[in-house]
Amino acid sequence: MRSPKDFFAPLAVGAPEPLRQIPVPPSRMIHFFDPSNEKMAAKVPDIAKKVDVLLGNLEDAVRADRKEAARNGLVSIAKSTDFGKTQLWTRVNSLDSPWVLDDLITLVTEIGDKLDVIMVPKVEGAQDIHYVDRLLAQLEARAGLTKPLLVHAILETASGVANVEEIAGASPRMQGISLGPADLAASRRMKTTRVGGGHPGYLVRTDPTGEDLNEGRTTYQQDLWHYTVARMVDACAANGILPYYGPFGDIRDVVACEDQFRNAFLLGCVGAWSLHPVQIDIAKKVFSPSPEDVAWARRVIAEMGDGTGAVMIDGKMQDDASVKQCRVVAELADALAADDPELAAAYDAATKEAS
Ligand SMILES: CCC(=O)SCCNC(=O)CCNC(=O)[C@H](O)C(C)(C)COP(=O)(O)OP(=O)(O)OC[C@H]1O[C@@H](n2cnc3c(N)ncnc32)[C@H](O)[C@@H]1OP(=O)(O)O
Ligand SMILES: O=CC(=O)O
Ligand SMILES: [Mg+2]
């Protein structure tokens, strides 16, 4: 193992200096598309204007006989599209697959200057990140890149969850982690057969009210993902990187999708994946704080002055800790509003009304 002093040293001669802070541009939705699908690819220039992150997916959901077409399609889309401020990410194939080496060599060489983040699936431990880290440094040096590519891990194996803290801190390239509930369920041998979301069988029941065990007992569905999302959020926050919820596969059920995204938002995630155009606006709505919450946060910050001591606002005690929470919300709102005049106006109107 290298000395901690070398953590920020480039891993290949001529590779760019690693970043000391992960950039945090808006990434409320990571919009997946299959670059080998002509219909989806045709929508990319328009979708790029609406999303924070566009991700050319090369892994699962791309047929084995379309892997090369997807890789080449992403190269040509990246070269021919102006993405503006929208980030371009890719998800490469898993490290044990026959495609990943060519994915990385081709993408870094051909479009390394256009890509922001490389999502690595099925990460099991720090060793997977170390492998990608060194290879990227070699490829960046050869391609003459001046900005380091960042790495995003999917948390979707039981080993990955067991090692999530070491994964989050494995490299200065680590940008974030997404929960991958579908592969994680399979890896854990869960019996869910769906892509994210809840399950009606995973519940708790109130106590019996009498002799009849079926009478008058309410059940409450529980969140299958609470433990993993919370662990992932802690691992990310402790290492200065960003946590995300992953896919919600029931595209038709926009209501439950919004619930799942909101649970993740409230627990600390900054965004989620959108698999279909209909999920883009859901993520945008959920991962932008509501105007009411922003107005409240700004009010607490204003009334707390230098941020110390305790005050009462509308019957609720505020102190140093609650003002810190309010700053999280207000700073996120300011960052999002800077690029979104409509959101800025909604936040300012609610703030005015509340003061
Ligand atoms: C489970 C674990 C994981 O790894 S999740 C991540 C991997 N999965 C993916 O990336 C899936 C991406 N999404 C898709 O493949 C499609 O959205 C699926 C779910 C198959 C639905 O497609 P389809 O049956 O065409 O839906 P639709 O008829 O409602 O589509 C309407 C028009 O929109 C298009 N569309 C669909 N999805 C996208 C997308 N992600 N990005 C851009 N465009 C998309 C469709 O092509 C269709 O276009 P058109 O109107 O026919 O021209
Ligand atoms: O890749 C995502 C997942 O849920 O599996
Ligand atoms: Mg997966």
Side-chain angles (χ1 to χ4, degrees), residues 325-348:
Q325 294 174 54
C326 290
R327 282 193 199 116
V328 169
V329 171
E331 283 165 14
L332 173 59
D334 289 346
L336 297 175
D339 278 332
D340 186 337
E342 222 173 281
L343 205 52
Y347 289 157
D348 289 345

Side-chain angles (χ1 to χ4, degrees), residues 31-32 39-40 43 47 57 60-61 91 182 195 247 275-277:
H31 183 74
F32 274 60
K39 274 188 179 176
M40 281 195 208
K43 292 190 161 46
I47 287 187
N57 177 35
D60 292 356
R91 178 171 81 169
V195 175
L275 303 184
H276 185 278

Side-chain angles (χ1 to χ4, degrees), residues 31-34 37-41 43-44 47 54-55 57 59-62 91 122 154 156 180-183 195-196 246-249 251 273-277 280:
H31 183 74
F32 274 60
F33 74 99
D34 172 355
N37 178 318
E38 280 169 21
K39 274 188 179 176
M40 281 195 208
K43 292 190 161 46
V44 163
I47 287 187
L54 197 60
L55 180 145
N57 177 35
E59 199 224 9
D60 292 356
V62 175
R91 178 171 81 169
K122 302 176 178 67
I154 311 182
E156 55 179 351
D183 270 301
V195 175
F248 188 89
I251 307 290
W273 301 2
S274 56
L275 303 184
H276 185 278
I280 295 172

Side-chain angles (χ1 to χ4, degrees), residues 67-146:
K67 294 289 186 187
E68 277 187 39
R71 187 191 300 139
N72 296 335
L74 180 56
V75 168
S76 98
I77 288 166
K79 286 187 172 172
S80 61
T81 310
D82 176 4
F83 296 100
K85 282 191 166 180
T86 300
Q87 300 169 64
L88 180 65
W89 297 18
T90 185
R91 178 171 81 169
V92 293
N93 285 287
S94 61
L95 298 180
D96 60 356
S97 75
W99 304 291
V100 65
L101 191 57
D102 287 333
D103 290 345
L104 289 168
I105 292 173
T106 305
L107 296 180
V108 179
T109 308
E110 296 282 337
I111 55 167
D113 55 335
K114 285 257 183 157
L115 279 173
D116 294 291
V117 175
I118 295 183
M119 185 182 272
V120 181
K122 302 176 178 67
V123 171
E124 308 231 10
Q127 71 278 6
D128 289 340
I129 303 300
H130 293 158
Y131 168 77
V132 172
D133 201 5
R134 178 78 74 171
L135 183 55
L136 286 180
Q138 293 168 344
L139 294 171
E140 286 168 341
R142 198 165 67 177
L145 298 183
T146 51

